[in-house]
């Protein structure tokens, strides 16, 4: 900011109290303003559900951009803003690609890698070549009139218009929900074709610069070699940085706060490094995300994981919004507009037709090698889903108009092509998918059996492959996981994270968690939280339960759990999603009986305050003993295979059970008056189990009649189920994510009539801040970033988990 | 042979070579021969898999129990359970195909050949399955098995009265469990490479 530069002699300018320093802030201000406008636009769009169901967001944003551009133009006659390639390639594209790589479902991706590579490489080359050559051919016939381009220019144009664009594909497919295989193929193609695009573009660009006459065979050969160098080099850079990132994340235990920063910085560096070495930057950052996923997620704390997740989604979504909006704005720039009907029309025709032909041929070839065949419908979707987007636009804007004389024509054509694919194809793809009855993603309950059998399959198939001497997928996968387990994990993962968590365990956890939630919800519904009022100690839980029943959404514990954006909630969302598909009450009831099983994960006993290993194992052993004892008793009765639901058995029993149950939870349910040391929570498992095993007479597997509970939950959650962050997240994959939830379950149900003394009554337990154990997985706090589960290492939780307020 | 098992002659040749390798040029294979495959050692359920090769039910023989040795035809029979589905199969064929594969799985789980998978057998399977993971306790595996059994029971039988006894998963129940999951596309091996790359020692 500059004061007006009057000569100091004339100092009659008095001190201005407030001054308007526009120039001072102009640049950041305008950027921030545009971002704000874009975000506001998103809000406005989503106000109307009807509109967003039909029109993809990207289309709406483009239109908005056109509109805004029009305004600016009308006001200023200056095409002031446009999507400059620098901004695009350095700031807008990386977040999107990183997001794609970090959340890539690896197994699916690598399982289909062959197909993806074929489409990405051969497909793109085919598209580029045919489009370029055809346009040139037509040009030669003179229909296009006078143009200043030669063969190389056409090929250059072909190469940049040929590439399927990841941003556009994500934006559109995300709303369409086709099945995973289809999605991963199209999306993978859009990511991996960058190498080809970069190479072709650079090659033809430099050829154009050299001049058509001087291109020699050597240059062509160099071009081919450069393809391999660029792609493999980019990938290597990505993998290198992934390794670096995982390694770094291993040691960030003491700097939890900046953990998320590492992820972004190092990934971004991989992008820039590849760019610097003129390798494929998109490939670099993609593979950085893909490779570091597992280790980073295992190493960093839950909050950091959440932070990373949300920040990534936010940046990616924001970047996408801005890209589309600016695509619209940039179009309003009459200076660049050159119209050549034949060229434009033919381009559109050629890219569509050749894409279809390419897809068909390649699929035919692929189907000989694929076990899961790609049918006609899949091919249609793949052809139709080959959207062009901002990458093409940025590339064309990068052209040097001294070398490429027809740059403006190319730009105009590209704009029209991009608009056409995004708007028209984006609009029509949904109805097309529905009309063709494309197989959609199935959201299913994670059945334990499924997981188990899935695992069995893997092993069986590996074995068969071994026996028959084949090198197959499973063989390779097995080899990889052995290698990973032996070497990579030791280097890249924190020791605590190295104990591998089995997928099956995760499902089991989640089921248990689900049951726990439903149980609590059910309890609330019955108003049985009244038990929390307990007269025996000074520290009263002063909660007024006569007040609005938990039927009002706000006061429900489970609502709270769902509402908080902690890691539990992410899973909650996934859980709720699954819950919505619960068809039978029996399902839930069966899962509810799972509660009966003390699941005790061997590997994760993260005591909050304990820093001593020793204490760990002591309690461990005790618990184990009791656990086994109780389990054995329970299973005795199961052996008589009495498996059933006792409806006749009571309600009062259930009540009592609730009460008993809830008392145990009492300390957990927040209220403002719980003392900070939480003596209440310090009853060890041992105590409870002992009392448990005493009263284990008629040990039936009673289950709550959860029918209404389920509905309640379902109703409650309908409103709370927030959208997955738009733009990038494919809901199929989000559920895969957070695995780092460790749970320890208390024996939830004692199926008898135990009049369990309130925990406070029992409380003279050895408690010290060190020997601390949270018994139930549910904890409430109003810090939305808190983890709800007993997940963190001792160092993590120095604060007391005294919840600050009560919501009841 | 080829048509009944729908394996191409190329694949048969390849498998025959492999068979000779495994059997050390004998006409039949015994269980011990499978030990010579190095990679199989790491497989947690190798016991069951090898067993499956000798299970007479899988060999489509009428009798029960275990064979001591199998010849090439039997070897092929087992392998044919893993062939991928072909494009030209119709509904009925697909269904039969699916049933066959599921039956193979079922036989693997049902070790005492009584046609039912009881809790103990199921536990056995799960324990073996998860035994590859050194950090997973046996007890945890058991509780998972129990949970899975419960789940299965609830799917197959639904609500049961207090006096009903659930003895085990029968094949029909097993089929029910797998409804909706396309096992045909998952349970297969690609017979692609013609040269054996993995050798026996």
């Amino acid at each position: 900011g500059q004061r007006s530069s009057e000569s100091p002699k004339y100092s009659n300018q008095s001190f201005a109290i407030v001054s308007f320093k526009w120039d001072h802030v102009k640049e950041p201000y305008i950027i921030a303003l545009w971002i704000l406008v874009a975000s506001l636009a998103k809000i406005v769009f989503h106000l109307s559900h009807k509109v967003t169901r039909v029109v993809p967001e990207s289309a709406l944003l483009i239109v908005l951009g056109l509109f805004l551009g029009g305004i600016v133009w009308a006001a200023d006659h200056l095409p002031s803003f446009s999507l400059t390639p620098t901004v695009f390639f350095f700031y807008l594209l990386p977040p999107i690609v990183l997001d794609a790589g970090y959340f890539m479902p690896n197994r699916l991706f690598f399982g289909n890698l062959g197909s993806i590579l074929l489409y990405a490489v051969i497909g793109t080359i085919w598209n580029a070549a045919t489009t370029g050559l055809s346009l040139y051919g037509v040009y030669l016939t003179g229909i296009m009139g006078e143009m200043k381009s030669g063969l190389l220019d056409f090929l250059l144009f072909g190469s940049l218009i040929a590439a399927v664009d990841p941003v556009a594909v994500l934006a559109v497919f995300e709303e369409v929900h086709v099945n995973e295989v289809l999605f991963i193929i199209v999306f993978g193609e859009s990511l991996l074709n960058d190498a080809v695009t970069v190479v072709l573009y650079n090659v033809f660009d430099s050829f154009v610069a050299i001049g058509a006459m001087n291109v020699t065979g050597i240059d062509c050969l160099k071009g081919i070699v450069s393809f391999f160098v660029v792609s493999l080099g980019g990938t290597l850079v990505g993998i290198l940085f992934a390794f670096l990132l995982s390694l770094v994340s291993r040691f960030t235990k003491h700097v939890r706060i900046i953990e998320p920063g590492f992820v972004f910085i190092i990934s971004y560096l991989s992008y820039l490094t590849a760019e610097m070495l003129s390798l494929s930057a998109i490939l670099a950052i993609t593979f950085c995300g893909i490779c570091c996923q597992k280790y980073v997620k295992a190493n960093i704390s839950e909050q950091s994981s959440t932070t990373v997740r949300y920040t990534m989604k936010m940046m990616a979504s924001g970047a996408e919004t801005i890209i589309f909006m600016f695509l619209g704005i940039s179009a309003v720039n009459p200076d660049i507009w050159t119209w050549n009907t034949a060229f434009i029309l033919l381009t559109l025709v050629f890219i569509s037709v050749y894409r279809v032909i390419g897809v068909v041929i390649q699929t035919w070839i692929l189907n000989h090698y694929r076990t899961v065949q790609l049918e006609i419908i899949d091919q249609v979707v793949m052809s139709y889903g080959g959207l062009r987007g901002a990458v093409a636009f940025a590339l064309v804007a990068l052209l040097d108009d001294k070398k490429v004389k027809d740059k403006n024509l190319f730009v105009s054509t590209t704009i029209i092509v991009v608009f056409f694919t995004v708007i028209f194809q984006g609009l029509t793809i949904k109805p097309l998918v529905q009309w063709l009855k494309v197989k959609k993603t199935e959201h299913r309950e994670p059945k334990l059996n499924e997981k188990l059998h899935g695992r069995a399959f893997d092993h069986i198939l590996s074995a068969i492959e071994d026996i028959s001497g084949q090198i197959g997928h499973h063989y390779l996968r097995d080899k990889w996981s052995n290698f990973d387990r032996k070497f990579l994990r030791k280097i890249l993962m924190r020791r605590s994270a190295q104990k591998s968590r089995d997928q099956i365990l995760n499902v089991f956890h989640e089921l248990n968690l689900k049951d726990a939630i439903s149980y609590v919800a059910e309890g609330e519904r019955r108003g049985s939280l009244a038990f929390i009022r307990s007269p025996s100690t000074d520290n009263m839980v002063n909660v007024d339960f006569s007040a609005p029943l938990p039927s009002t959404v706000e006061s429900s514990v489970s609502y709270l759990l769902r509402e908080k954006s902690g890691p539990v909630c992410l899973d909650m969302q996934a859980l709720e999603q699954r819950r919505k598909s619960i068809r039978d009450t029996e399902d839930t009831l069966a899962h509810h009986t799972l509660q009966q099983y003390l699941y005790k994960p061997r590997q994760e006993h993260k005591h909050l305050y304990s820093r001593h290993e020793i204490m760990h194992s002591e309690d461990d052993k005790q618990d184990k003993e009791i656990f086994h004892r109780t389990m054995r008793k329970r299973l005795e009765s199961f052996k008589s295979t009495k498996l059933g639901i006792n409806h006749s058995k009571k309600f009062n029993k259930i009540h009592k059970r609730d009460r008993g149950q809830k008392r145990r939870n009492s300390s957990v349910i927040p209220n403002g008056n719980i003392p900070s040391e939480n003596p209440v929570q310090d009853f060890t498992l041992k105590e409870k189990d002992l009392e448990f095993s005493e009263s284990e007479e008629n040990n039936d597997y009673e289950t709550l009649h959860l029918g209404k509970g389920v509905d309640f939950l379902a109703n409650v959650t309908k409103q709370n189920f927030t959208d997955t962050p738009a733009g990038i997240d494919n809901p199929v994959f989000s559920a895969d994510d957070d695995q780092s939830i460790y749970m320890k379950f208390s024996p939830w149900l004692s199926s008898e009539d135990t009049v369990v003394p309130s925990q406070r009554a029992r409380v003279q337990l050895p408690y010290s801040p060190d020997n601390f154990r949270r018994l139930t997985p549910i904890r409430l706090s109003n810090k939305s970033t808190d983890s709800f589960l007993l997940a963190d290492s001792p160092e993590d939780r120095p604060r007391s988990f005294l919840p600050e307020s009560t919501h009841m | 042979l080829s048509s009944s098992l729908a394996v191409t002659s190329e694949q048969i040749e390849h498998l025959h070579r492999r068979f000779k390798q495994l059997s050390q040029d004998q006409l039949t294979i015994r269980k011990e021969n499978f030990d010579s495959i190095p990679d199989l050692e790491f497989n947690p359920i190798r016991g069951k898999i090898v067993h499956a090769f000798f299970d007479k039910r899988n060999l489509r023989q009428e009798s029960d129990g275990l064979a001591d040795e199998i010849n090439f035809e039997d070897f092929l029979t087992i392998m044919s359970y893993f062939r991928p589905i072909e494009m030209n199969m119709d509904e009925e064929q697909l269904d039969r195909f699916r049933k066959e594969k599921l039956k193979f799985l079922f036989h693997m789980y049902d070790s005492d050949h009584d046609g039912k998978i009881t809790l103990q057998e199921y536990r056995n399977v799960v324990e073996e399955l998860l035994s590859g993971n050194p950090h997973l306790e046996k007890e945890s595996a058991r509780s998972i098995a129990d949970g899975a059994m419960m789940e299965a029971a609830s799917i197959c039988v639904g609500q049961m009265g207090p006096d009903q006894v659930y003895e085990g998963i029968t094949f029909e129940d097993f089929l029910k469990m797998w409804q909706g999951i396309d096992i045909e596309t998952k349970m297969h091996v690609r017979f692609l490479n013609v040269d054996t790359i993995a050798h026996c020692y």
Side-chain angles (χ1 to χ4, degrees):
Chain A
Q2 282 71 47
R3 304 284 179 97
S4 66
S5 48
E6 299 218 343
S7 89
K9 276 193 281 180
Y10 302 89
S11 50
N12 49 1
Q13 204 183 14
S14 61
F15 176 73
I17 300 180
V18 176
S19 52
F20 187 69
K21 299 199 224 164
W22 172 246
D23 291 320
H24 191 48
V25 296
K26 181 156 112 170
E27 278 175 31
Y29 201 96
I30 293 193
I31 295 177
L33 210 54
W34 277 118
I35 298 181
L36 182 62
V37 167
S39 317
L40 286 176
K42 261 176 104 103
I43 299 182
V44 170
F45 292 152
H46 284 278
L47 282 179
S48 162
H49 192 58
K50 267 184 253 163
V51 174
T52 47
R53 225 172 344 140
V54 176
V55 185
E57 206 179 273
S58 38
L60 287 171
L61 284 166
I62 290 187
V63 170
L64 173 71
L66 283 171
F67 184 61
L68 287 175
I71 295 181
V72 171
W73 169 250
D76 256 352
H77 288 272
L78 276 180
S80 38
F81 304 107
S82 81
L83 190 61
T84 53
T86 332
V87 167
F88 176 74
F89 280 119
F90 281 172
Y91 302 117
L92 294 177
L93 191 57
I96 299 181
V97 185
L98 176 61
D99 178 66
Y102 193 76
F103 293 109
M104 178 79 73
N106 274 355
R107 189 172 160 133
L108 205 57
F109 180 72
F110 286 110
N112 288 299
L113 192 59
S115 320
I116 293 178
L117 277 177
L118 184 71
Y119 285 116
V121 177
I122 307 290
T124 312
I125 296 182
W126 161 266
N127 283 339
T130 52
T131 311
L133 289 173
S134 316
L135 283 173
Y136 182 61
V138 174
Y139 168 65
L140 287 178
T141 65
I143 301 185
M144 291 187 195
E146 264 312 300
M147 282 176 57
K148 312 177 203 104
S149 306
L151 172 65
L152 284 175
D153 301 90
F154 280 102
L155 283 175
L156 177 59
F157 179 68
S159 69
L160 65 86
I161 201 85
V164 177
D165 184 80
V167 180
V169 165
L170 267 178
V172 168
F173 270 67
E174 189 253 347
E175 307 189 10
V176 174
H177 303 310
V178 295
N179 67 63
E180 338 176 290
V181 175
L182 200 50
F183 175 77
I184 200 79
I185 291 183
V186 181
F187 182 55
E189 178 196 342
S190 69
L191 277 180
L192 295 190
N193 67 20
D194 178 62
V196 180
T197 312
V198 163
V199 169
L200 284 178
Y201 181 82
N202 284 330
V203 161
F204 286 124
D205 201 33
S206 54
F207 281 7
V208 166
I210 302 176
M213 307 305 143
N214 309 335
V215 174
T216 63
I218 304 267
D219 291 320
C220 292
L221 197 61
K222 278 201 243 171
I224 298 180
V225 171
S226 83
F227 164 68
F228 286 103
V229 170
V230 161
S231 49
L232 292 174
T235 314
L236 274 173
V237 168
I239 296 182
L240 200 69
F241 275 87
F243 189 82
L244 188 64
L245 176 58
S246 315
L247 196 58
V248 166
S249 71
R250 185 178 169 186
F251 299 112
T252 53
K253 194 143 71 159
H254 300 283
V255 286
R256 293 276 189 202
I257 293 291
I258 62 171
E259 254 180 345
F262 283 112
V263 177
F264 293 105
I265 293 288
I266 297 186
S267 313
Y268 192 50
L269 276 177
S270 76
Y271 185 85
L272 292 177
T273 309
E275 189 69 33
M276 173 178 79
L277 298 171
S278 74
L279 302 170
S280 165
I282 292 188
L283 278 186
I285 200 173
T286 305
F287 277 96
C288 182
I290 287 181
C291 299
C292 79
Q293 274 187 20
K294 188 162 86 161
Y295 306 106
V296 167
K297 282 182 195 166
N299 282 342
I300 62 181
S301 72
E302 250 178 82
Q303 291 100 311
S304 301
S305 186
T306 312
T307 310
V308 167
R309 185 195 168 99
Y310 268 83
T311 313
M312 235 186 246
K313 296 278 176 209
M314 181 187 80
M315 290 193 338
S317 181
E320 191 185 285
T321 313
I322 296 181
I323 289 178
F324 284 116
M325 198 174 73
F326 269 87
L327 267 180
I329 296 179
S330 317
V332 182
N333 183 355
D335 291 342
I336 59 170
W337 276 96
T338 321
W339 188 269
N340 183 330
T341 326
F343 188 76
I344 296 178
L345 217 53
L346 284 170
T347 311
L348 277 175
V349 166
F350 284 145
I351 57 171
S352 317
V353 167
Y354 285 124
R355 171 131 181 110
V356 172
I357 298 180
V359 164
V360 168
I361 296 182
Q362 288 168 87
T363 315
W364 180 78
I365 299 178
L366 268 183
N367 275 341
H368 288 296
Y369 296 100
R370 281 181 66 92
T371 39
V372 179
Q373 308 279 287
L374 293 168
E375 304 158 17
I376 304 279
I377 295 185
D378 298 328
Q379 293 172 40
V380 170
V381 176
M382 272 195 279
S383 324
Y384 206 67
L387 308 172
R388 274 69 173 177
V391 173
F393 178 76
L395 284 176
V396 86
L398 263 181
L399 289 174
D400 184 350
D401 59 0
K402 293 189 208 45
K403 291 190 236 157
V404 181
K405 308 276 178 9
D406 277 313
K407 175 179 169 179
N408 285 336
L409 175 60
F410 289 167
V411 171
S412 318
T413 316
T414 310
I415 293 184
I416 296 194
V417 167
V418 169
F419 281 14
F420 178 79
T421 55
V422 172
I423 299 182
F424 180 72
Q425 280 178 251
L427 261 174
T428 50
I429 199 168
K430 225 183 199 177
L432 186 72
V433 161
Q434 278 170 351
W435 180 56
L436 289 176
K437 300 201 195 56
V438 176
K439 226 187 336 177
K440 294 241 178 147
T441 59
E442 305 160 357
H443 253 298
R444 255 205 317 259
E445 290 266 317
K447 290 223 164 51
L448 203 49
N449 279 300
E450 231 179 272
K451 282 281 180 186
L452 279 175
H453 294 301
R455 180 67 56 84
F457 271 177
D458 284 342
H459 289 308
I460 296 177
L461 292 177
S462 305
I464 297 287
E465 277 183 8
D466 292 332
I467 294 177
S468 62
Q470 306 276 341
I471 303 278
H473 262 216
H474 298 271
Y475 180 81
L476 288 172
R477 206 182 294 142
D478 259 1
K479 282 279 182 227
W480 168 256
S481 57
N482 281 339
F483 172 70
D484 178 54
R485 203 173 307 144
K486 276 199 217 128
F487 301 112
L488 289 181
R489 279 191 191 209
K490 301 233 168 81
I491 310 176
L492 297 176
M493 270 203 208
R494 257 178 231 173
R495 236 171 298 127
S496 56
Q498 270 173 35
K499 308 186 184 175
S500 49
R501 305 202 73 241
D502 216 289
Q503 268 285 329
I504 294 187
L505 289 187
N506 297 339
V507 177
F508 200 56
H509 280 316
E510 286 173 7
L511 288 177
N512 280 344
L513 177 57
K514 190 162 60 170
D515 296 328
I517 302 291
S518 63
Y519 187 69
V520 170
E522 175 65 11
E524 292 171 340
R525 201 184 62 82
R526 297 176 199 279
S528 58
L529 289 174
F531 69 84
I532 289 187
R533 215 172 283 129
S534 122
S536 47
T537 49
D538 331 315
N539 302 313
M540 291 294 269
V541 180
N542 288 335
V543 185
D544 186 357
F545 285 104
S546 52
L549 248 209
S551 57
T552 58
V553 159
E554 287 74 36
S555 48
S556 123
V557 169
S558 31
Y559 171 80
L560 281 165
L561 291 169
R562 258 170 260 112
E563 192 206 64
K564 301 295 190 191
S565 61
V568 164
C569 280
L570 295 180
D571 274 84
M572 218 55 66
Q573 290 179 356
L575 284 178
E576 295 320 324
Q577 228 177 348
R578 287 181 217 134
R579 187 171 276 288
K580 280 189 191 165
S581 61
I582 291 182
R583 299 144 297 211
D584 313 328
T585 318
E586 284 100 356
D587 237 10
T588 338
L589 289 168
H591 290 156
H592 194 74
T593 63
L594 281 179
Q595 286 180 27
Q596 316 249 1
Y597 295 97
L598 282 173
Y599 177 73
K600 202 152 180 169
R602 184 109 189 90
Q603 59 271 39
E604 301 304 340
H605 294 290
K606 299 214 167 171
H607 296 275
L608 301 184
Y609 289 147
S610 159
R611 292 167 192 264
H612 313 292
E613 288 281 341
I614 304 177
M615 271 200 250
H616 261 250
S617 43
E618 267 176 16
D619 296 327
D620 241 3
K621 243 182 26 169
Q622 274 175 354
D623 299 336
K624 220 172 76 136
E625 242 179 68
I626 291 129
F627 168 63
H628 294 326
R629 223 186 314 144
T630 56
M631 281 302 291
R632 221 164 288 138
K633 286 210 188 146
R634 286 178 178 275
L635 289 175
E636 292 301 320
S637 55
F638 181 70
K639 272 210 211 127
S640 64
T641 64
K642 220 175 185 54
L643 176 66
I645 298 134
N646 256 320
H647 288 302
S648 56
K649 273 216 194 140
K650 347 335 157 161
F651 231 62
N652 55 355
K653 253 208 175 185
I654 291 176
H655 256 297
K656 286 218 187 104
R657 204 189 316 144
D658 281 1
R659 221 176 294 139
Q661 171 80 44
K662 291 306 182 192
R663 283 207 200 101
R664 275 176 236 136
N665 293 345
S666 68
S667 58
V668 171
I669 314 291
N671 67 82
N673 300 334
I674 291 187
S676 43
E677 293 79 61
N678 297 309
V680 268
Q681 295 179 322
D682 285 337
F683 45 89
T684 62
L685 209 54
K686 170 164 88 164
E687 293 287 308
K688 290 185 53 190
D689 268 326
L690 280 181
E691 98 188 284
F692 218 71
S693 21
E694 294 158 20
S695 38
E696 273 200 24
E697 298 318 56
N698 36 348
N699 200 354
D700 292 313
Y701 288 98
E702 265 181 86
T703 56
L704 279 182
H705 181 59
L706 274 188
K708 300 206 197 107
V710 177
D711 295 341
F712 163 70
L713 269 182
N715 287 338
V716 162
T717 61
K718 254 191 205 83
Q719 305 109 302
N720 302 332
F721 184 58
T722 51
D723 289 343
T724 52
I728 311 295
D729 197 31
N730 184 325
V732 178
F733 305 131
S734 61
D736 235 350
D737 197 35
D738 204 299
Q739 292 179 6
S740 56
I741 298 192
Y742 310 121
M743 289 187 36
K744 187 152 43 170
F745 256 91
S746 50
W748 278 77
L749 292 175
S750 70
S751 43
E752 334 44 47
D753 245 40
T754 42
V755 175
V756 179
S758 95
Q759 75 208 26
R760 300 180 193 262
R762 270 189 262 129
V763 103
Q764 302 327 317
L765 295 178
Y767 75 91
S768 60
D770 288 34
N771 179 15
F772 192 96
R773 186 177 314 201
R774 205 196 294 152
L775 202 39
T776 60
I778 304 173
R779 174 170 79 77
L780 292 164
S781 90
N782 60 354
K783 291 209 181 93
S784 61
T785 50
D786 286 351
S787 155
F788 286 109
L789 303 176
L790 192 63
D792 309 281
S793 60
E795 301 88 288
D796 245 79
R797 301 297 201 124
R799 59 180 131 78
S800 80
F801 35 87
L802 167 61
E804 254 92 86
S805 73
T806 169
H807 282 257
M808 307 249 186
Chain B
L1 193 63
S2 170
S3 53
S4 69
L5 299 176
V7 198
T8 69
S9 52
E10 206 180 70
Q11 293 167 352
I12 295 187
E13 218 187 275
H14 167 67
L15 285 172
H16 189 75
R17 248 181 285 146
R18 181 67 174 170
F19 183 83
K20 286 230 284 254
Q21 241 184 359
L22 284 177
S23 70
Q24 282 138 15
D25 284 332
Q26 304 288 317
L27 281 176
T28 57
I29 310 187
R30 300 173 159 280
K31 275 211 185 133
E32 297 77 49
N33 293 104
F34 281 97
D35 292 337
S36 56
I37 304 175
D39 296 311
L40 207 51
E41 279 176 45
F42 297 113
N43 201 316
I45 51 173
R46 69 180 294 273
K48 286 221 155 30
I49 295 175
V50 174
H51 185 101
F53 268 80
F54 293 90
D55 191 337
K56 286 213 182 136
R57 294 175 295 173
N58 289 337
L59 297 175
R60 306 208 186 146
Q61 293 168 13
E62 288 317 315
S63 52
D64 223 5
L66 285 180
D68 286 326
E69 45 186 23
I70 55 175
N71 58 24
F72 183 58
E73 201 179 318
D74 300 324
F75 186 71
L76 266 193
T77 314
I78 305 281
M79 283 298 176
S80 71
Y81 282 108
F82 292 95
R83 67 188 189 278
I85 53 174
E86 283 128 42
M87 296 277 264
N88 49 5
M89 284 182 146
D90 59 18
E91 275 300 318
E92 193 207 307
Q93 277 184 317
L94 269 179
D95 195 50
R96 205 170 11 113
F97 204 61
R98 186 187 158 89
K99 276 220 177 86
E100 265 179 29
K101 296 198 181 211
L102 284 175
K103 205 137 194 116
F104 185 81
L105 256 193
F106 188 76
H107 289 154
M108 255 185 60
Y109 291 151
D110 179 21
S111 43
D112 62 1
H113 303 218
D114 63 355
K116 281 203 267 279
I117 306 179
T118 60
L119 179 63
Q120 193 47 49
E121 285 170 348
Y122 208 64
R123 266 195 211 150
N124 215 325
V125 176
V126 174
E127 267 168 47
E128 263 193 29
L129 210 48
L130 298 177
S131 64
N133 184 340
H135 302 290
L136 204 50
E137 262 236 316
K138 243 195 167 191
E139 292 297 339
S140 316
R142 285 185 68 168
S143 47
I144 293 181
D146 298 331
M149 192 70 174
M150 289 255 188
E151 207 183 68
S154 70
I155 300 175
C156 307
V157 190
Q159 286 195 9
M160 289 171 56
D163 296 323
Q164 266 182 291
V165 169
Y166 187 62
E167 284 171 0
I169 309 179
T170 62
F171 187 57
E172 287 70 38
D173 295 338
F174 197 65
L175 281 179
K176 246 194 270 186
M177 264 168 49
W178 284 99
Q179 232 168 29
I181 306 166
D182 53 349
I183 182 175
E184 309 88 38
T185 53
K186 293 202 180 122
M187 186 171 153
H188 51 55
V189 172
R190 256 183 289 186
F191 292 103
L192 270 190
N193 307 341
V194 183
D195 306 311
T196 13
I197 304 181
H199 295 292
C200 301
Y201 288 83

